Amino acid sequence: MSLLDRYHLLVHDVAAAFGYDYNDVTPDWVHPFIHLILVLAPALLITVGSYLAIRGILKLWKYRSTPAIHPEPIRGLEGSLFSTVLRYSRRQQALMIVVSLIAMPFLYLTLELPKQIVNNALDSDRFPIVVLGRDLDQVVFLILLCGLYLLAIILNGLNKYDLNVFKGYVAERFLRRFRLLVYRQWRSDPDSRNQSEIVPILAQEVEPIGGFAADVLTLPILQGGTLLTILFFMFVQDPVLGAAALTVLPIQLVLLPKLQRRVNALSRTRIKEVRQLGRQLSDQLRQRQVNSAGLLPVSASFRELEHVRRKIFRLKFFIKALNNFLTALTPFLFYSLGGYFVIEGRITLGALVAVLAAHKDFSAPLKELFSYYQTLEDTRIRYQEITTFFTGSIQRSGKAQADNHKPEEVSEFEEATLRYPALSVKRQGAIATS
């Protein structure tokens, strides 16, 4: 048996494990779909997931084995963003996680009830039907299912509303505390050269950090739970269609993070340019006059900021367009392969409609998770820039203090005077007498 025959046999075995058996009437175009959905895409997903897991473990091990770079701890700030957030909002994070997990059963009901409405209330001839000991006709049963669906939507909406309001409270509370810590650290810094740079730091750079504090644990748990709930619902309807929802995920995991790292590098450049611009404007304000020579460096900073932001916009919109295109490929598999399954009687029309509706909700948490990764990287860069700013100030202050306290060479008489102050008085009296 050749290697190709073994591969085809493997695909048939995997398809049989998912409840799909090939036969003589199966169209030829179904075979490549099954190969892609059940073998090639899962193998690529496992490979990419293993690579990302190993890289994450190595980065964590390297971070823990590397000694701290701070000469002394910055008052009130931890070395990492996660540690700082958890230090000041541990209880609030736990409460938001609980509220996020409560939303999962309501979400599943909003996915299951439309399928029940289509299959059991609209496309069914088994009426009257007995519910809780009472006979219900088709119209009453339809109204009952629609009422349950409306109740599930209301409960899910109220849960998200309460969670978002509480997240806003946590974000603003952490932002106020973080700004106060940064301000106190700046006030205790004797280096006056950094006074101009504190304005963009307090006004702009800490703002995303405060907003991210409420999403640091809640968003991945909420959106990840939503993603797993929707994926579980798809697998319940049909395992092949559930696996089809993961077909383009490996490509997204490979391409999008690489593009995002380029955006992160440009964001770091933009932060440095904004600080440089603030330093130049502060120097001109201290001179109390504006001459024509001062326009050239400021104009160059404006031009550089425009150039960097254009690059950021191009990359961000390319990432968004690529993600939208890859997400739109999955419904093509649902309409073609899922439509064939409906014709063959493998699944019901209501199940296919429910899977299509679920995939529409499936792409939203996936986008939120990718957006979370982008925000995490951007916020981490901002936090590192702030800590690096104060670390440099501490190093300069320590060097200045060391220079001020550097011992100077003194004469024997001056050394004796320091030890015995009475000698200084006698010497002054002798000089006055002579």
Side-chain angles (χ1 to χ4, degrees):
M1 183 181 296
S2 64
L3 183 62
L4 185 60
D5 294 334
R6 292 180 180 179
Y7 170 73
H8 281 284
L9 184 59
L10 173 64
V11 174
H12 282 261
D13 293 340
V14 173
F18 277 81
Y20 180 78
D21 294 324
Y22 288 98
N23 51 48
D24 297 335
V25 298
T26 302
D28 294 335
W29 60 269
V30 176
H31 291 261
F33 278 17
I34 297 297
H35 285 225
L36 175 64
I37 294 173
L38 298 184
V39 177
L40 299 180
L44 182 59
L45 180 61
I46 293 174
T47 303
V48 173
S50 301
Y51 168 75
L52 295 178
I54 294 174
R55 191 180 68 174
I57 293 174
L58 292 178
K59 289 178 64 175
L60 181 61
W61 177 78
K62 182 179 179 181
Y63 173 78
R64 291 186 174 181
S65 60
T66 303
I69 61 175
H70 301 297
E72 59 179 301
I74 298 177
R75 185 173 56 185
L77 294 181
E78 300 289 341
S80 65
L81 175 61
F82 278 89
S83 301
T84 302
V85 172
L86 294 179
R87 177 179 179 180
Y88 296 108
S89 60
R90 185 177 294 106
R91 295 181 179 178
Q92 291 83 0
Q93 297 291 338
L95 181 59
M96 289 188 295
I97 290 175
V98 173
V99 177
S100 301
L101 295 177
I102 293 176
M104 299 303 109
F106 300 141
L107 173 63
Y108 191 87
L109 288 177
T110 59
L111 299 175
E112 178 67 24
L113 287 174
K115 186 192 76 171
Q116 298 297 330
I117 291 174
V118 173
N119 290 338
N120 298 326
L122 299 179
D123 190 17
S124 178
D125 54 357
R126 298 179 291 106
F127 289 98
I129 188 173
V130 179
V131 177
L132 298 178
R134 299 184 60 181
D135 294 336
L136 302 180
D137 58 10
Q138 187 173 8
V139 176
V140 175
F141 186 66
L142 173 64
I143 297 300
L144 176 62
L145 292 180
C146 291
L148 293 176
Y149 179 67
L150 179 61
L151 179 62
I153 291 177
I154 293 175
L155 293 178
N156 192 28
L158 290 177
N159 182 275
K160 290 184 177 180
Y161 172 77
D162 294 337
L163 180 61
N164 290 329
V165 171
F166 190 68
K167 284 170 57 178
Y169 163 76
V170 174
E172 293 301 323
R173 185 172 178 268
F174 179 82
L175 179 60
R176 175 179 58 85
R177 184 183 294 272
F178 188 75
R179 274 178 171 157
L180 182 60
L181 291 174
V182 173
Y183 176 73
R184 285 179 176 176
Q185 184 66 32
W186 173 75
R187 286 293 298 266
S188 63
D189 183 14
D191 193 351
S192 60
R193 290 174 295 178
N194 300 327
Q195 290 182 356
S196 60
E197 299 182 9
I198 195 62
V199 177
I201 290 177
L202 288 178
Q204 300 176 2
E205 297 181 23
V206 301
E207 190 80 22
I209 298 177
F212 181 74
D215 293 331
V216 64
L217 294 178
T218 306
L219 192 144
I221 291 178
L222 177 62
Q223 301 301 332
T226 302
L227 194 68
L228 293 178
T229 302
I230 296 174
L231 189 61
F232 174 74
F233 175 78
M234 290 182 179
F235 272 98
V236 170
Q237 310 312 311
D238 188 85
V240 178
L241 295 182
L246 302 176
T247 304
V248 299
L249 185 59
I251 304 177
Q252 293 173 318
L253 292 177
V254 171
L255 294 181
L256 298 183
K258 289 185 177 181
L259 296 175
Q260 183 58 38
R261 281 194 288 270
R262 298 181 60 184
V263 175
N264 297 337
L266 292 174
S267 299
R268 187 182 291 109
T269 303
R270 182 180 62 85
I271 291 175
K272 294 180 179 179
E273 287 296 329
V274 170
R275 290 185 181 180
Q276 178 67 23
L277 177 61
R279 191 181 302 114
Q280 293 174 359
L281 296 178
S282 178
D283 292 340
Q284 293 185 10
L285 289 176
R286 281 198 294 266
Q287 294 174 0
R288 298 181 178 274
Q289 59 182 358
V290 179
N291 48 29
S292 58
L295 295 177
L296 295 179
V298 174
S299 177
S301 297
F302 288 160
R303 191 180 302 108
E304 185 64 23
L305 280 174
E306 178 187 5
H307 183 64
V308 172
R309 290 183 66 87
R310 282 184 175 181
K311 287 185 176 180
I312 293 176
F313 288 150
R314 284 198 296 267
L315 275 177
K316 280 189 174 181
F317 288 126
F318 177 74
I319 292 174
K320 184 177 181 180
L322 179 62
N323 189 28
N324 291 336
F325 172 74
L326 293 176
T327 305
L329 288 179
T330 307
F332 166 74
L333 298 176
F334 288 159
Y335 283 116
S336 56
L337 191 60
Y340 172 73
F341 286 165
V342 172
I343 295 174
E344 293 295 319
R346 175 180 170 87
I347 62 174
T348 62
L349 179 62
L352 179 60
V353 172
V355 168
L356 290 171
H359 180 264
K360 184 179 180 181
D361 296 333
F362 179 82
S363 59
L366 193 60
K367 290 181 180 179
E368 289 292 335
L369 289 176
F370 282 117
S371 177
Y372 172 80
Y373 173 76
Q374 297 173 0
T375 307
L376 172 62
E377 293 298 315
D378 180 71
T379 309
R380 183 178 58 84
I381 291 173
R382 293 176 183 272
Y383 187 83
Q384 289 179 353
E385 290 294 330
I386 293 175
T387 54
T388 303
F389 170 78
F390 286 112
T391 302
S393 300
I394 293 175
Q395 292 175 348
R396 289 191 297 267
S397 300
K399 183 178 180 181
Q401 292 177 3
D403 293 339
N404 293 334
H405 291 83
K406 183 178 181 180
E408 300 179 355
E409 295 183 358
V410 295
S411 62
E412 294 181 0
F413 172 75
E414 291 174 344
E415 183 179 358
T417 302
L418 293 175
R419 292 183 179 180
Y420 308 101
L423 292 177
S424 177
V425 177
K426 293 180 180 180
R427 179 66 177 176
Q428 292 177 359
I431 294 175
T433 302
S434 61

